[in-house]
């Protein structure tokens, strides 16, 4: 049971002045007779009407209390909820090659990609998601899971240099496909993010895309960064290396076209955020939810109790407690 207006309970504070007034009024309300001693009356029992008068005041307080509770609108709830969720299986395939350290994104391509990926994961609360990273080789870092905290922790903790350098797009895509094969959702998709051209690994990107198509998996490819020379500084800041980067847009478009996905180009942080927002609308989880909520008002018993107390109080006042002038 809950109360719609619980603040009405503050009216119980009125009991304090009412009780004070009752005690003060009855202190001098009894007629008195001056005599030399009360010894003969010491052992006389008190009249039952004296107790009844106090009980009558208590009945009035109870009537007032019951009415205050009724004004709070006590309610009972009977709620039934059945949800039928058809989840989407999604694997993030993240490029962690050395070129992702480029500063054309703030603070770097790699950090910007991780930040946006974390926001994307937080928004997909009903999906089964996993994580694959790749450079010169691929690594399945997190299996499909509904544990958002574990997945976000894996994304935040992955670092450049965890794998041999290079860009094995085909291997990364193949690892992501292997992760999705075990998923039970009808809708399966891969978000592959890279800033380079396939130059390592054992699986050609087109071959991995064909496998994904056979398994009914869509691949959304994202080309991150700008083409040209970039300066890469080692983690300790002692040396700087110049790298030539070129995103293989035709290959990424081909992967997306083969699988029925879509290719995106992100040249800055804002564009990357917009890419993930668009993917979020393309791969929405379908929810079939049936809700049933019944609310019953429970104030009537309290009103009835208040009326009974007040009626009994009036009955006593005008019968056995009636005062004759």
């Amino acid at each position: 049971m809950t109360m719609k207006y619980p603040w009405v309970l503050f009216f119980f504070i009125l009991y304090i002045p009412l009780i004070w007034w009752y005690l003060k009024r009855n202190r001098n309300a009894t007629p008195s007779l001056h005599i030399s001693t009360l010894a003969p009356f010491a052992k006389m029992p008190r009249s039952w009407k004296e107790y009844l008068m106090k009980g009558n005041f208590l009945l009035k307080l109870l009537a007032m209390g019951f009415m205050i509770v009724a004004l709070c609108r006590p309610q009972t709830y009977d709620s039934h909820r059945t949800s039928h969720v058809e989840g989407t299986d999604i694997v993030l395939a993240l490029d962690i090659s050395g070129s992702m350290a480029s500063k054309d994104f703030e603070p770097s391509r790699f950090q910007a990609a991780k930040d946006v990926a974390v926001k994307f994961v937080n928004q997909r609360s009903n999906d089964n998601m996993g994580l694959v990273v790749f450079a010169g080789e691929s690594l399945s870092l997190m299996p499909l899971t509904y544990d958002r905290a574990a997945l976000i922790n894996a994304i935040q903790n992955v670092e450049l240099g965890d794998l041999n350098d290079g860009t094995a797009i085909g291997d990364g895509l193949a690892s992501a496909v292997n992760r999705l094969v075990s998923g039970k959702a009808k809708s399966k998709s891969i978000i592959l993010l890279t800033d380079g051209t396939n130059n390592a690994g054992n699986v050609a990107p087109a071959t991995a895309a064909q496998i994904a198509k056979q398994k009914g998996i869509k691949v959304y490819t994202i080309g991150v960064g700008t083409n040209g020379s970039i300066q890469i500084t080692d983690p300790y800041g002692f040396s700087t290396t110049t790298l030539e980067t070129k995103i293989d847009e035709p290959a990424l478009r081909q992967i997306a076209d083969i699988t029925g996905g879509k290719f995106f180009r992100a040249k800055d942080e804002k564009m990357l955020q917009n890419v993930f927002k668009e993917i979020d609308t393309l791969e929405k989880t379908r929810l079939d939810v049936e809700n049933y909520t019944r609310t019953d008002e429970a104030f009537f018993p309290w009103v009835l109790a208040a009326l009974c107390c007040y009626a009994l109080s009036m009955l006593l006042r005008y019968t056995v407690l009636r005062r004759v002038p």
Side-chain angles (χ1 to χ4, degrees), residues 224-299:
V224 182
T226 55
N227 294 325
S229 299
I230 60 172
Q231 301 292 323
I232 304 296
T233 304
D234 71 272
Y236 304 100
F238 294 128
S239 62
T240 301
T241 305
T242 301
L243 292 178
E244 290 292 330
T245 63
K246 183 178 180 181
I247 299 172
D248 192 349
E249 292 190 22
L252 296 179
R253 289 183 184 276
Q254 183 186 26
I255 293 171
D257 292 340
I258 290 173
T259 60
K262 191 174 181 180
F263 168 72
F264 300 92
R265 189 76 168 84
K267 296 183 179 180
D268 55 41
E269 297 94 322
K270 186 175 182 179
M271 291 178 66
L272 183 60
Q273 292 174 3
N274 291 336
V275 165
F276 272 89
K277 286 181 181 178
E278 183 170 348
I279 293 175
D280 186 50
T281 61
L282 292 172
E283 290 295 335
K284 276 290 184 184
T285 301
R286 295 179 59 189
L287 295 174
D288 297 320
V289 180
E290 297 177 1
N291 292 322
Y292 169 73
T293 301
R294 178 181 173 183
T295 302
D296 290 326
E297 297 287 349
F299 67 87

Side-chain angles (χ1 to χ4, degrees), residues 34-313:
H34 294 280
I35 59 177
S36 59
T37 179
L38 294 175
F41 307 98
K43 295 183 179 181
M44 290 185 63
R46 292 191 176 188
S47 172
W48 58 272
K49 288 188 177 183
E50 181 179 353
Y51 294 103
L52 201 57
M53 289 180 63
K54 294 179 179 178
N56 191 36
F57 177 69
L58 180 60
L59 283 174
K60 293 178 180 178
L61 291 181
L62 285 174
M64 179 180 174
F66 289 144
M67 188 57 67
I68 290 174
V69 174
L71 291 173
C72 290
R73 292 278 301 276
Q75 299 172 330
T76 58
Y77 289 91
D78 184 11
S79 180
H80 176 72
R81 179 187 178 98
T82 302
S83 297
H84 303 285
V85 180
E86 183 180 338
T88 299
D89 292 341
I90 300 177
V91 170
L92 298 173
L94 182 61
D95 187 348
I96 62 170
S97 59
S99 57
M100 288 290 289
S102 175
K103 302 294 184 180
D104 55 349
F105 282 59
E106 186 63 36
S108 68
R109 291 178 184 176
F110 182 62
Q111 189 58 51
K114 291 204 299 182
D115 292 343
V116 175
V118 166
K119 292 180 181 178
F120 179 79
V121 169
N122 276 323
Q123 293 170 356
R124 309 289 298 197
S125 58
N126 296 301
D127 297 323
N128 205 11
M129 303 185 73
L131 175 65
V132 168
V133 294
F134 64 92
E137 53 192 338
S138 66
L139 175 64
S140 183
L141 203 59
M142 178 65 65
L144 291 174
T145 179
Y146 289 103
D147 190 340
R148 290 291 170 270
L151 181 57
I152 290 172
N153 186 61
I155 294 172
Q156 291 175 335
N157 288 333
V158 68
E159 297 293 342
L160 298 178
D162 287 348
L163 299 174
N164 294 327
D165 204 13
T167 308
I169 296 175
D171 283 13
L173 182 55
S175 295
V177 171
N178 288 334
R179 275 300 180 196
L180 282 172
V181 168
S182 61
K184 298 181 180 180
K186 294 181 180 179
S187 176
K188 303 176 188 291
S189 56
I190 296 171
I191 301 175
L192 188 145
L193 186 147
T194 182
D195 69 342
T197 302
N198 188 75
N199 57 19
N202 300 316
V203 182
T207 302
Q210 290 292 344
I211 298 173
K213 180 182 178 182
Q214 293 174 5
K215 302 297 183 180
I217 300 171
K218 293 181 181 180
V219 182
Y220 297 95
T221 55
I222 305 173
V224 182
T226 55
N227 294 325
S229 299
I230 60 172
Q231 301 292 323
I232 304 296
T233 304
D234 71 272
Y236 304 100
F238 294 128
S239 62
T240 301
T241 305
T242 301
L243 292 178
E244 290 292 330
T245 63
K246 183 178 180 181
I247 299 172
D248 192 349
E249 292 190 22
L252 296 179
R253 289 183 184 276
Q254 183 186 26
I255 293 171
D257 292 340
I258 290 173
T259 60
K262 191 174 181 180
F263 168 72
F264 300 92
R265 189 76 168 84
K267 296 183 179 180
D268 55 41
E269 297 94 322
K270 186 175 182 179
M271 291 178 66
L272 183 60
Q273 292 174 3
N274 291 336
V275 165
F276 272 89
K277 286 181 181 178
E278 183 170 348
I279 293 175
D280 186 50
T281 61
L282 292 172
E283 290 295 335
K284 276 290 184 184
T285 301
R286 295 179 59 189
L287 295 174
D288 297 320
V289 180
E290 297 177 1
N291 292 322
Y292 169 73
T293 301
R294 178 181 173 183
T295 302
D296 290 326
E297 297 287 349
F299 67 87
F300 181 75
W302 299 93
V303 173
L304 184 61
L307 291 176
C308 289
C309 288
Y310 186 75
L312 182 57
S313 173

